[in-house]
Amino acid sequence: RVAVILRNRTEYSEIIYGAVKAGITLVPVNWRLAPEELSYVINNSESTAVVVGEEFLEKVVPIKKELSNVDSGRYMFLGENKPADMHGYEELLAGASDAEPGFAGKPSDPFFIGYTSGTTGFPKGAITPLGDWEIRVMSLFTLLRLGEDDVQLLTCPCFPITPSTPEPESRL
């Protein structure tokens, strides 16, 4: 499981689709949470790695020692001023293989764990299986009649429903 603390950016989509191909469960984390809540979500989800954008370092660095499942070498950084103890996203991509990972997921496999806002205590996680995500993506492409040359504007933060898509019943 990989916790993702990023604002919307191109790499977020790359991470989503890379996770699908590799069979990695994503944990998109609300970057508006306080450090204590971030620590809770990362630990509660049993994430073993963290992807963090530069703008959220001030929240993540102070809690690194509290993240019981995340070893020191399991941080991926996106931004300009990479800390020495984190891996740079572009560096990792440059060293990665072009080979398909070979993951053959089942519809019941966990795809992502979304957390509530925690208005009545700490946030609570809910697992979305891979099959649900695949249905939503196909429904979105059908609903919007999206083709390979189309572009879609995403105006809401990715963390609350990422990597899900609008419900198939949604109407624009």
Side-chain angles (χ1 to χ4, degrees):
R1 296 178 179 173
V2 177
V4 181
I5 309 167
L6 293 175
R7 289 191 187 274
N8 293 5
R9 55 190 299 158
T10 304
E11 294 89 351
Y12 213 131
S13 293
E14 295 172 355
I15 291 166
I16 292 168
Y17 287 99
V20 169
K21 284 186 166 223
I24 295 170
T25 303
L26 288 179
V27 182
V29 182
N30 180 345
W31 37 262
R32 294 177 178 136
L33 295 175
E36 177 184 325
E37 295 165 316
L38 289 174
S39 176
Y40 173 82
V41 168
I42 294 167
N43 285 329
N44 181 262
S45 67
E46 299 178 354
S47 291
T48 58
V50 174
V51 178
V52 61
E54 184 167 15
E55 61 269 43
F56 305 115
L57 276 179
E58 63 188 31
K59 289 185 175 189
V60 172
V61 169
I63 63 168
K64 284 175 66 176
K65 290 181 180 166
E66 299 171 21
L67 305 180
S68 55
N69 298 314
V70 184
D71 293 335
S72 61
R74 306 279 296 180
Y75 290 85
M76 185 188 318
F77 174 81
L78 282 88
E80 298 295 319
N81 302 303
K82 183 184 78 63
D85 63 343
M86 295 187 182
H87 298 285
Y89 180 79
E90 295 299 331
E91 294 168 21
L92 289 174
L93 281 183
S97 168
D98 289 339
E100 291 292 326
F103 172 73
K106 300 183 301 277
S108 60
D109 288 340
F111 170 51
F112 81 93
I113 304 174
Y115 276 78
T116 65
S117 62
T119 56
T120 59
F122 279 112
K124 293 163 185 63
I127 296 173
T128 294
L130 183 59
D132 285 6
W133 180 78
E134 290 171 336
I135 290 168
R136 287 178 179 212
V137 168
M138 294 312 297
S139 297
L140 178 66
F141 276 82
T142 301
L143 176 70
L144 299 179
R145 295 179 183 91
L146 293 175
E148 63 183 51
D149 294 325
D150 291 322
V151 176
Q152 181 184 9
L153 175 65
L154 179 61
T155 58
C156 66
C158 286
F159 65 77
I161 55 171
T162 301
S164 116
T165 58
E167 295 292 330
E169 309 78 49
S170 298
R171 297 292 179 249
L172 299 176

